[in-house]
């Protein structure tokens, strides 16, 4: 989940070179919908997304997992340029794995 087209392209190409397939979405609502439509081994979640941000999208995914509406084995990794103190803790508190 990444809203910047350049970042989408870079990450998609890096994943393709590593032999991975990916689906790109550009907002938090689309990320939540995507994990409900397909099975993913990993979600790379930008924290600053339009509309529903990455933190809220992660919380929503975790809530849906808790109620059994989504599988529980979804790893969510923050994809962010934010380097301020406390960002990692904020990501973990939202339910991201790293």
């Amino acid at each position: 989940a990444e809203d910047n087209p350049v970042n989408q392209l870079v990450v998609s190409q890096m994943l393709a070179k590593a032999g991975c397939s990916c689906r790109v979405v550009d907002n938090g609502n689309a990320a939540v919908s995507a994990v409900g439509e397909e099975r993913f081994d990993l979600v790379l979640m930008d924290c600053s997304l339009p509309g529903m941000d990455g933190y809220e999208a992660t919380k929503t995914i975790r809530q849906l997992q808790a109620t059994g509406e989504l599988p529980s084995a979804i790893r969510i990794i923050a994809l962010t340029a934010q380097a301020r103190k406390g960002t990692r803790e904020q990501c973990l508190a939202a339910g991201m794995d790293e």
Side-chain angles (χ1 to χ4, degrees):
E2 170 61 62
D3 61 319
N4 182 294
V6 173
N7 292 345
Q8 290 174 349
L9 182 63
V10 170
V11 171
S12 295
Q13 288 182 348
M14 289 174 69
L15 290 169
K17 286 183 181 181
C20 301
S21 61
C22 69
R23 176 176 172 183
V24 177
V25 297
D26 62 3
N27 64 68
N29 288 316
V32 173
S33 293
V35 298
E37 296 166 1
E38 290 182 52
R39 178 98 170 136
F40 295 95
D41 296 318
L42 176 70
V43 174
L44 298 175
M45 183 74 73
D46 184 12
C47 296
S48 301
L49 294 168
M52 179 188 292
D53 67 19
Y55 300 109
E56 190 60 35
T58 298
K59 288 177 187 176
T60 301
I61 291 167
R62 296 305 188 211
Q63 289 169 352
L64 292 170
Q65 289 174 311
T67 62
E69 296 175 63
L70 289 177
S72 60
I74 301 171
R75 297 272 182 204
I76 302 175
I77 307 296
L79 183 66
T80 182
Q82 297 177 14
R84 68 180 188 273
K85 186 174 181 167
T87 298
R88 182 174 190 273
E89 291 75 17
Q90 186 177 4
C91 292
L92 295 174
M96 296 181 193
D97 295 290
E98 194 58 52

